[in-house]
Amino acid sequence: MVFGQVVIGPPGSGKTTYCNGMSQFLKLIGRKVAVINLDPANDALPYECAVNIEDLVKLSDVMVEKSLGPNGGLVYCMDYLEKNIDWLESRLKPLIADHYLLFDFPGQVELFFLHSNAKKVIMKLIKSLDLRLTAVHLVDAHLCSDSGKYVSALLLSLTTMLHLELPHINVLSKIDLIESYGKLAYNLEFYTDVQDLSYLQYHLDQDPRSAKYRKLTKELCEVIEDYGLVNFTTLDIQDKESVGNLVKLIDKSNGYIFAGIEGSAVEFSKIAAGPLDWDYYRTAAVQEKFIEDDDNFENLPGKS
């Protein structure tokens, strides 16, 4: 079995910075990591790329040759990738024996809740290469400072979860910058737990732009609460403890923690239901390497 992450989220949510920081963290704890760039618009990669979609198709060429804008060009690129999935499979096969995979996808949100090409690419890879993937959906934490934008982020997260049909973790990225966007109406747990959205109604009513959509917003909040699927974890990509906590959640969701474990169904269920307290730094070699590279990890490039 091969494990990995499908990294998605709106433009500016920090996907590329996340892949860079996550790959460094995973290497520090002893995993071999391969980052696969599937964003044909990403021409400035801070990480070492194992597979790059630009070797197959370039967004700039598509826009010129097909007379498309950036959004239409990205849809075309995903469609082209789906039709040439054997190209991607052939480049992944040498990696799957011993690598953990990070897929850096485009930021066009329509690809993950409206169009089916990106989903088909993921599902074909899962079937042909026996992958165990978790979708990591990044949302910029600054949206919490605006109730209307926060509800939009919730709706996007829910729709993406239902569309992709993968183990899914929603992440408020850049959490260390959240206070710089203004004071939150409620404590942070309100925005991560997503328990009672009726409290947002008052703040939405104070905004003249949102007041006329009061009924629509109320109905959308009820839909989100009725599903009861959306919640968030937080992430500061420059904080190794924050990244480590997220890795534990991801490993639990895609089954990485069960790899190599032999036991009964009861023992597996105890692990699945238990706290996230296993030790990633249990060997002396990993501890030594972690301390040695600690300064490099904390000095990552600025967030995108």
Side-chain angles (χ1 to χ4, degrees):
M1 292 183 292
V2 186
F3 298 91
Q5 304 174 29
V6 173
V7 183
I8 58 177
S13 57
K15 296 181 297 298
T16 298
T17 300
Y18 172 88
C19 288
N20 186 27
M22 180 59 71
S23 64
Q24 290 189 36
F25 180 88
L26 293 173
K27 289 174 183 176
L28 292 181
I29 61 175
R31 299 187 197 178
K32 295 182 67 175
V33 183
V35 185
I36 296 91
N37 175 47
L38 296 183
D39 183 358
N42 196 349
D43 55 0
L45 299 174
Y47 50 75
E48 182 180 349
C49 189
V51 181
N52 194 341
I53 191 176
E54 287 203 341
D55 295 335
L56 174 68
V57 60
K58 293 185 178 181
L59 178 62
S60 56
D61 294 342
V62 168
M63 292 171 63
V64 171
E65 295 175 10
K66 303 297 180 180
S67 300
L68 294 170
N71 289 341
L74 282 170
V75 173
Y76 180 92
C77 289
M78 281 297 106
D79 182 56
Y80 191 81
L81 177 61
E82 182 201 346
K83 289 180 170 58
N84 294 273
I85 194 67
D86 55 331
W87 174 88
L88 181 56
E89 290 176 354
S90 65
R91 281 154 179 77
L92 290 178
K93 284 179 179 177
L95 302 172
I96 61 177
D98 56 357
H99 281 76
Y100 186 97
L101 307 180
L102 294 175
F103 292 91
D104 188 0
F105 270 88
Q108 186 185 11
V109 296
E110 295 92 331
L111 295 173
F112 302 100
F113 76 85
L114 185 60
H115 298 285
S116 60
N117 294 332
K119 177 182 178 180
K120 289 179 180 177
V121 167
I122 295 169
M123 293 306 167
K124 287 181 179 179
L125 292 177
I126 289 174
K127 183 176 181 180
S128 62
L129 301 177
D130 192 26
L131 304 185
R132 301 291 188 271
L133 301 178
T134 289
V136 179
H137 185 227
L138 302 180
V139 174
D140 196 323
H142 89 271
L143 297 180
C144 296
S145 61
D146 184 308
S147 297
K149 292 179 180 178
Y150 175 68
V151 172
S152 298
L154 291 175
L155 187 62
L156 173 63
S157 299
L158 174 61
T159 309
T160 304
M161 293 174 76
L162 296 175
H163 181 72
L164 286 183
E165 299 178 313
L166 286 174
H168 193 106
I169 294 177
N170 296 302
V171 180
L172 290 177
S173 62
K174 310 179 189 178
I175 197 64
D176 53 313
L177 301 177
I178 193 169
E179 294 294 339
S180 64
Y181 297 106
K183 186 177 180 180
L184 298 179
Y186 303 102
N187 59 34
L188 184 59
E189 287 73 19
F190 173 83
Y191 298 95
T192 57
D193 295 346
V194 194
Q195 290 297 320
D196 190 349
L197 299 179
S198 64
Y199 287 101
L200 292 176
Q201 200 66 48
Y202 170 78
H203 296 278
L204 290 168
D205 290 346
Q206 305 308 305
D207 187 344
R209 298 170 300 174
S210 304
K212 62 180 179 179
Y213 302 114
R214 184 184 298 110
K215 184 177 180 180
L216 174 62
T217 304
K218 181 176 181 293
E219 296 293 336
L220 290 177
C221 289
E222 289 179 357
V223 169
I224 294 166
E225 289 186 317
D226 287 345
Y227 272 97
L229 295 176
V230 182
N231 57 21
F232 291 95
T233 187
T234 59
L235 174 67
D236 173 5
I237 193 60
Q238 293 184 324
D239 180 358
K240 61 181 180 294
E241 183 177 352
S242 178
V243 179
N245 289 334
L246 178 57
V247 169
K248 292 177 183 180
L249 286 173
I250 295 169
D251 286 352
K252 200 168 186 179
S253 68
N254 62 21
Y256 184 91
I257 61 170
F258 304 110
I261 296 177
E262 295 183 0
S264 66
V266 173
E267 291 171 334
F268 279 114
S269 65
K270 288 180 180 178
I271 296 174
L276 303 175
D277 59 356
W278 60 91
D279 185 5
Y280 280 101
Y281 323 118
R282 54 186 172 275
T283 67
V286 171
Q287 289 179 5
E288 183 178 345
K289 178 65 174 174
F290 196 89
I291 295 170
E292 176 185 339
D293 291 346
D294 188 39
D295 290 338
N296 294 331
F297 181 76
E298 291 183 347
N299 292 318
L300 287 171
K303 303 172 180 61
S304 62

